[in-house]
Amino acid sequence: MADGVNVGQYGNDNNGKEIRQLLNSYSDKELNLITLFYHERLEDAILHLVESIALTLMATGSLSNGNYMFICKLSENQGRKEAAQYLLGTVTKTSGSTERIFWETLVKMQESKPKLKLILKEIQNRGFDLLCNARISQTEGKLSDHLKDIQDQHKQHLLLRTEHVVKGTIKGKDKIVTISLTDRYTELIIISTLRERRLVEHELLSRGRDHEEWQRKYITSDLEKIRIDQLFRSSFGHSSLSGTTVVSGVAGIGKTTMVQRMVHEWAAGNIYPQFQFVFHFTFRNLNAIKAAVSLNKMVLDLYPYLEKIIEDIWMKPEHLLLVFDGLDEYKHPIDFTGHVASDISASRCVGPNCSCEVSEIVRSLVQQQLLKGCSVLVTSRPTALDLLEKANINLWAEILGFLADERKDFFRKFFGIENLGAKVFKHVEENQILYTMCYNPSYCWIICSTLGPLFTQSKCRQPLPKTITQLFSIYLSNLLDNHKRDVEDQRMVLQRLGELAYQGVAKRRIVFNENHFIQHQLEPSKFISGFMMEILERDDAAKTIVYTFLHLTIQEFLAALAQYLNPKHQNVVEMLHWAFKKDDGRFEIFVRFLVGLSSPTSSRQLETFLGPLSYHTTCQVIDWLQANVQAEIKNMDRATGKRKLLNIFHYLSESQNGALVQKTIGSVERLNFGDSNPHNALRLSPMDCAVMSHVVQLCKSLTELNLEKCYVQEEGMKQLAPAIHKCEVVRLNDNSIGDTGISILSASLVHPECKTKRLDLQDNNLTFACIEDLRVAFSVSQSLSMLYLDGNKFTDDCIPTMRNFIINCKNLELIQLWRNLFSSDGKKQLRSLRECRAGLRIFV
């Protein structure tokens, strides 16, 4: 029975009755354990409630006036996180009654805070099982002195293996640079929800289309962030004690670095005290094991000093964590359904000493058939997740990469100089395409490496990049400049390397072996190591070296560049036609680079090192673009046609060829990317909107732009704003623009050359706050005359302001306000305005 104050005595409402009863049943000590268990999640959940909670605690005498004032001061100084930490620290250190009043306050406030509601629901559903989980997660497993000495040796070994990150460099003679993990690591955003797994796999594209939505959900408290110390035996998983966690993320997002950080933190004694031993494998290295092997041998090959105690380690599987990084890189299929092959002797793994295929060992560990009670971490790109569909997974998680704060933090840490990092980041932030790339740590590294010299060299007059092609052209030029003595004929080697890269793009290959090099007349060299890294595959009989490009996008850029370096006149149009028909996303970035290199701005610097790029290829690219623009414009009323046309717009933007845009799009009268059926409308990212804005501004005869249900939102509106005024009819229905988005839109519509007559803003969550911005736009613009505001959130409180807007905007001929929140009397007041001006139509 609980001791202390009853958690329900401060509230008479019936909401949360079950959770109150459960919390009352906990003793003070047990309730404190729950608070500590949820400490980090509570910090995030109460971020915007901290002052209200503190006030309630002060009113009941559970918090001193001084503590309350200090918490308020922290919050006022933009230190809400620090205020939440201080409040929770105070609550957990005081008497049981204070903690009970704290939880009662949370129960009352849960309805408006999804994260808080989720925590309380978890506690209610799991009841006393959660206490067991909480106790274990904070209890260090006891070891004998001998095992403790070996564990210390193991931790020291892992610390040395994980303390540095190796990165490629474009400076000086060194091809790689070694960086302290602790100094450079920037926290990634990990969420306990998997996005739709049928994403286009390319990391730049998948982020461009979907990442903004998840960022918005995270910010609006619909999603919770998982820390690396919460992936196991936390309240996020299905099981309270053990199981498999899967962490997914696109290429370059930081899965391997996250694993490295987690192993390092365990070895340092900072997280997961319940694990006595952690074993870290990569599927890339496991590919080298050709014959049957035992888990014993796999572990001892990596950690031979464990040989004398390995049998003792297996005795307590509940204290073990096995990490398998990069499932997508594994060459052999793994059947996680639970069935085993007919040849039981070759496939069934009955113990750590049993010899079988690596795939069967991994399967058995994941399915808890080997070392039952152990914990397993598997990381993978989205393409391999279908293998795990039927596996026994305790927790699914996904790395989103960096949000705004983490991006700034990365730039600051990269340059080490506060002002320089801020200056470079400001330029990137102002360029939507570059900024969009920064969700991905690998792109951040390339951008910082490329832009850094442009901001630090006083004599550098090189213009800053505006497109991804320009960015990678500068990146490659820097490499060529710093490593020009490593090879006699850079152009020839890059052409062959680019042809190898293209074959990889076409066949979805990212790992290359010696035979691939021979086929393309390449030899390993210092020069090639500036673009590719060697990977040593271990085997009992031999050691094999394979190669992979430093980043998938570098592979795609070199594949495109090769088409301009080949002395033979290839049929590039035929290649483009074939690539454009593929709908799996593999060629999208390749084609962007291929078109982008037709721009003199992108190719000029490369020509300094490589000689002239093929003018014949440039002509073929432009011819192909012109032909395809016309074809896709005819198909834009179909969902597939919309996507194809948007891709064309991206290509035109990369070309930076205004004359080409005007020639191909300039005479178009209507652009349709939206639809009343959301399945047929094209979902637009801010990057898509930036590209569309660039193209629309060059259109001379455009009369209608339909973006209905395109999910433009406020961020997309910022990008579209410079172009909106050029269209007579603008359809922005159902885009979650909000009042702030209208403010941005109105600033565009007061343009002196505004042509917009009809503005569709139905179903955009608009309120009283946007009316003044609309009034300004309609008062200044001489063209605006029709406004559709159906399905928004206008109420009777808006009527005086709305009436003033309608009466004073003399050009307004029609305003439609169906499906708002007006009363009968409010509607009557608005309809009465029809008599104030001849021809004025008001529908409400």
Side-chain angles (χ1 to χ4, degrees):
M1 191 61 153
D3 42 313
V5 179
N6 187 293
V7 83
Q9 74 182 66
Y10 293 95
N12 296 319
D13 59 294
N14 292 320
N15 292 332
K17 182 179 179 181
E18 290 184 25
I19 184 64
R20 283 189 172 95
Q21 289 176 344
L22 178 62
L23 292 172
N24 284 332
S25 69
Y26 290 143
S27 69
D28 286 351
K29 187 175 180 180
E30 289 169 338
L31 189 61
N32 182 254
L33 196 62
I34 294 294
T35 309
L36 291 172
F37 184 62
Y38 277 100
H39 196 284
E40 287 82 9
R41 291 180 69 182
L42 284 171
E43 279 181 18
D44 200 23
I46 68 171
L47 215 56
H48 299 286
L49 297 172
V50 63
E51 291 165 285
S52 299
I53 295 170
L55 180 61
T56 301
L57 292 175
M58 186 186 70
T60 59
S62 301
L63 189 70
S64 70
N65 184 63
N67 281 337
Y68 170 70
M69 295 301 293
F70 182 70
I71 289 169
C72 290
K73 188 175 180 182
L74 279 176
S75 293
E76 287 171 7
N77 295 329
Q78 303 302 313
R80 289 190 175 276
K81 188 173 181 62
E82 291 79 4
Q85 289 172 344
Y86 182 82
L87 175 61
L88 278 166
T90 304
V91 166
T92 52
K93 290 174 185 175
T94 51
S95 67
S97 61
T98 298
E99 207 154 7
R100 291 180 182 280
I101 296 167
F102 169 76
W103 279 101
E104 166 62 16
T105 306
L106 299 188
V107 173
K108 286 183 176 182
M109 295 180 170
Q110 64 174 306
E111 287 304 321
S112 62
K113 297 297 174 186
K115 291 182 183 179
L116 186 55
K117 194 171 185 177
L118 183 59
I119 290 172
L120 291 167
K121 186 177 180 181
E122 279 184 10
I123 295 172
Q124 181 179 317
N125 290 343
R126 298 190 181 191
F128 283 92
D129 287 343
L130 195 62
L131 285 173
C132 182
N133 192 4
R135 288 191 186 99
I136 291 175
S137 68
Q138 297 177 43
T139 304
E140 187 171 355
K142 293 182 179 179
L143 290 170
S144 66
D145 291 342
H146 177 59
L147 282 177
K148 186 71 171 68
D149 290 341
I150 300 295
Q151 186 197 56
D152 290 341
Q153 181 183 354
H154 182 57
K155 286 187 172 183
Q156 192 59 36
H157 172 77
L158 291 179
L159 280 174
L160 290 173
R161 275 184 54 186
T162 57
E163 65 181 344
H164 291 107
V165 177
V166 177
K167 290 284 188 179
T169 178
I170 59 175
K171 299 185 216 174
K173 297 179 180 179
D174 297 326
K175 299 295 188 302
I176 60 173
V177 61
T178 302
I179 301 157
S180 167
L181 175 71
T182 305
D183 292 343
R184 190 57 67 84
Y185 185 79
T186 301
E187 186 180 9
L188 292 156
I189 300 301
I190 309 171
I191 58 170
S192 60
T193 306
L194 274 181
R195 289 183 283 176
E196 174 60 52
R197 295 180 194 171
R198 292 170 295 179
L199 289 174
V200 175
E201 168 58 11
H202 195 288
E203 57 269 26
L204 178 59
L205 295 179
S206 76
R207 195 295 187 168
R209 293 172 189 166
D210 296 282
H211 194 266
E212 288 296 333
E213 176 187 359
W214 292 87
Q215 177 174 341
R216 179 187 64 81
K217 284 189 175 181
Y218 174 75
I219 291 170
T220 56
S221 304
D222 291 339
L223 289 175
E224 285 192 87
K225 180 174 72 174
I226 305 180
R227 294 155 42 118
I228 59 171
D229 61 342
Q230 296 174 319
L231 291 171
F232 292 94
R233 297 186 183 179
S234 70
S235 53
F236 284 104
H238 299 302
S239 168
S240 297
L241 298 177
S242 62
T244 297
T245 292
V246 175
V247 177
S248 165
V250 294
I253 199 69
K255 299 182 294 295
T256 297
T257 306
M258 180 216 71
V259 166
Q260 183 177 340
R261 175 73 173 188
M262 191 178 80
V263 172
H264 185 85
E265 287 295 290
W266 174 81
N270 297 329
I271 62 175
Y272 297 131
Q274 70 270 25
F275 293 133
Q276 294 175 350
F277 288 91
V278 172
F279 303 132
H280 178 200
F281 305 95
T282 66
F283 280 103
R284 184 173 281 182
N285 286 336
L286 293 177
N287 281 327
I289 300 177
K290 304 295 193 295
V293 68
S294 69
L295 179 60
N296 243 12
K297 181 168 174 50
M298 286 169 57
V299 171
L300 292 178
D301 279 350
L302 289 175
Y303 315 107
Y305 49 82
L306 297 176
E307 184 172 8
K308 292 182 180 180
I309 66 158
I310 192 70
E311 296 302 328
D312 294 329
I313 290 175
W314 302 138
M315 295 296 289
K316 294 184 177 180
E318 68 274 13
H319 293 299
L320 298 180
L321 170 62
L322 297 99
V323 179
F324 294 92
D325 187 24
L327 176 63
D328 52 282
E329 295 181 354
Y330 194 49
K331 293 178 179 178
H332 310 288
I334 304 178
D335 181 7
F336 286 102
T337 58
H339 304 297
V340 293
S342 56
D343 185 0
I344 294 177
S345 62
S347 63
R348 199 171 211 19
C349 188
V350 295
N353 293 310
C354 178
S355 288
C356 50
E357 300 297 323
V358 171
S359 58
E360 176 58 18
I361 292 175
V362 175
R363 187 200 70 80
S364 298
L365 287 167
V366 168
Q367 298 294 69
Q368 293 285 296
Q369 295 167 349
L370 172 62
L371 297 180
K372 186 174 182 179
C374 73
S375 296
V376 180
L377 172 64
V378 178
T379 71
S380 176
R381 285 165 65 172
T383 45
L385 288 181
D386 57 335
L387 295 173
L388 293 158
E389 286 282 358
K390 296 181 180 179
N392 182 23
I393 304 304
N394 183 42
L395 171 63
W396 293 95
E398 181 183 5
I399 300 178
L400 292 186
F402 294 152
L403 299 184
D405 289 343
E406 289 76 26
R407 296 176 197 186
K408 287 181 182 178
D409 195 38
F410 184 98
F411 277 69
R412 179 182 59 80
K413 289 181 176 179
F414 183 93
F415 292 105
I417 305 169
E418 189 77 31
N419 291 341
L420 178 58
K423 195 174 181 181
V424 176
F425 184 75
K426 186 175 185 297
H427 168 73
V428 171
E429 198 172 24
E430 290 171 351
N431 185 308
Q432 182 61 38
I433 292 174
L434 298 186
Y435 184 70
T436 296
M437 295 169 69
C438 285
Y439 86 101
N440 189 310
S442 293
Y443 282 123
C444 275
W445 178 268
I446 290 173
I447 289 171
C448 289
S449 300
T450 304
L451 295 184
L454 304 184
F455 282 85
T456 55
Q457 297 171 6
S458 57
K459 295 182 180 180
C460 182
R461 296 181 179 178
Q462 186 176 336
L464 294 170
K466 294 181 179 178
T467 68
I468 59 169
T469 309
Q470 290 174 12
L471 177 78
F472 278 84
S473 293
I474 297 171
Y475 177 78
L476 179 56
S477 297
N478 287 337
L479 275 172
L480 296 174
D481 189 30
N482 285 292
H483 306 303
K484 53 191 172 188
R485 297 181 183 176
D486 293 341
V487 66
E488 289 185 10
D489 191 342
Q490 289 183 333
R491 184 183 179 108
M492 180 190 70
V493 174
L494 274 182
Q495 179 197 325
R496 293 174 180 174
L497 191 61
E499 289 167 353
L500 173 75
Y502 176 75
Q503 288 299 316
V505 172
K507 297 179 181 179
R508 288 190 172 278
R509 181 187 297 130
I510 61 172
V511 178
F512 305 87
N513 58 32
E514 186 179 351
N515 290 332
H516 295 127
F517 269 52
I518 293 171
Q519 290 169 15
H520 292 275
Q521 300 176 279
L522 289 167
E523 294 181 0
S525 65
K526 288 183 178 179
F527 180 74
I528 286 180
S529 68
F531 307 95
M532 304 186 80
M533 56 183 172
E534 297 178 355
I535 302 165
L536 187 65
E537 288 194 340
R538 298 185 298 106
D539 199 339
D540 290 340
K543 293 180 179 179
T544 306
I545 293 177
V546 294
Y547 306 87
T548 184
F549 285 91
L550 297 176
H551 197 273
L552 175 60
T553 317
I554 292 175
Q555 179 178 337
E556 292 164 314
F557 181 77
L558 292 177
L561 179 62
Q563 315 311 315
Y564 288 86
L565 298 177
N566 197 325
K568 299 176 183 178
H569 289 328
Q570 305 176 91
N571 191 339
V572 176
V573 171
E574 188 175 313
M575 175 200 294
L576 282 166
H577 182 66
W578 177 72
F580 191 62
K581 285 197 299 184
K582 298 291 180 184
D583 59 2
D584 55 13
R586 79 179 83 169
F587 286 109
E588 287 194 29
I589 299 298
F590 163 76
V591 176
R592 287 190 198 183
F593 281 139
L594 191 55
V595 174
L597 285 168
S598 69
S599 165
T601 309
S602 299
S603 62
R604 190 178 297 117
Q605 190 171 12
L606 289 171
E607 290 181 329
T608 304
F609 302 97
L610 301 174
L613 301 190
S614 170
Y615 178 71
H616 179 73
T617 299
T618 298
C619 293
Q620 288 191 86
V621 168
I622 292 174
D623 288 345
W624 175 81
L625 257 181
Q626 289 184 203
N628 273 273
V629 169
Q630 300 306 318
E632 298 310 326
I633 285 174
K634 294 176 182 177
N635 293 326
M636 67 179 165
D637 289 327
R638 296 163 50 195
T640 54
K642 296 180 200 299
R643 169 55 60 191
K644 294 282 189 183
L645 183 59
L646 181 62
N647 284 338
I648 291 282
F649 278 19
H650 276 280
Y651 305 150
L652 288 170
S653 180
E654 281 295 321
S655 77
Q656 294 290 290
N657 188 336
L660 178 62
V661 175
Q662 289 184 338
K663 184 175 181 180
T664 53
I665 306 286
S667 59
V668 172
E669 295 182 355
R670 173 177 167 269
L671 288 175
N672 178 25
F673 292 97
D675 197 280
S676 58
N677 182 345
H679 296 294
N680 295 329
L682 190 62
R683 195 180 188 87
L684 300 177
S685 73
M687 182 197 287
D688 295 329
C689 292
V691 165
M692 192 173 297
S693 178
H694 170 76
V695 172
V696 168
Q697 287 180 74
L698 295 169
C699 292
K700 293 181 178 179
S701 55
L702 188 64
T703 58
E704 181 178 342
L705 178 63
N706 182 7
L707 302 180
E708 181 177 4
K709 289 184 170 65
C710 287
Y711 204 70
V712 167
Q713 302 184 91
E714 179 186 332
E715 284 300 311
M717 201 67 251
K718 289 179 184 176
Q719 305 305 322
L720 287 168
I724 288 291
H725 69 276
K726 296 182 68 70
C727 311
E728 291 184 13
V729 177
V730 178
R731 302 187 191 277
L732 290 168
N733 320 18
D734 205 350
N735 272 292
S736 299
I737 293 172
D739 295 331
T740 307
I742 295 299
S743 179
I744 296 165
L745 173 63
S746 296
S748 170
L749 296 174
V750 298
H751 192 284
E753 298 178 9
C754 178
K755 299 177 181 177
T756 308
K757 295 180 180 178
R758 171 174 172 157
L759 189 59
D760 288 12
L761 295 172
Q762 296 99 312
D763 301 292
N764 271 297
N765 300 318
L766 305 183
T767 70
F768 171 86
C770 75
I771 299 175
E772 177 59 21
D773 288 313
L774 289 171
R775 186 197 66 77
V776 170
F778 274 76
S779 298
V780 173
S781 172
Q782 298 300 305
S783 59
L784 281 167
S785 59
M786 291 182 283
L787 178 61
Y788 294 79
L789 293 172
D790 311 77
N792 285 292
K793 297 180 178 179
F794 299 116
T795 67
D796 284 3
D797 292 338
C798 305
I799 289 177
T801 309
M802 186 71 77
R803 282 173 59 89
N804 182 57
F805 162 39
I806 295 171
I807 291 169
N808 289 295
C809 293
K810 304 299 183 184
N811 294 328
L812 184 64
E813 297 174 1
L814 180 150
I815 183 167
Q816 194 161 290
L817 291 159
W818 301 116
R819 296 184 292 108
N820 277 282
L821 305 176
F822 300 121
S823 66
S824 299
D825 181 63
K827 293 177 182 179
K828 185 177 180 181
Q829 289 186 52
L830 289 169
R831 291 191 192 105
S832 69
L833 293 176
R834 294 170 181 167
E835 300 175 4
C836 75
R837 196 165 56 248
L840 177 61
R841 290 173 291 167
I842 301 174
F843 301 98
V844 62

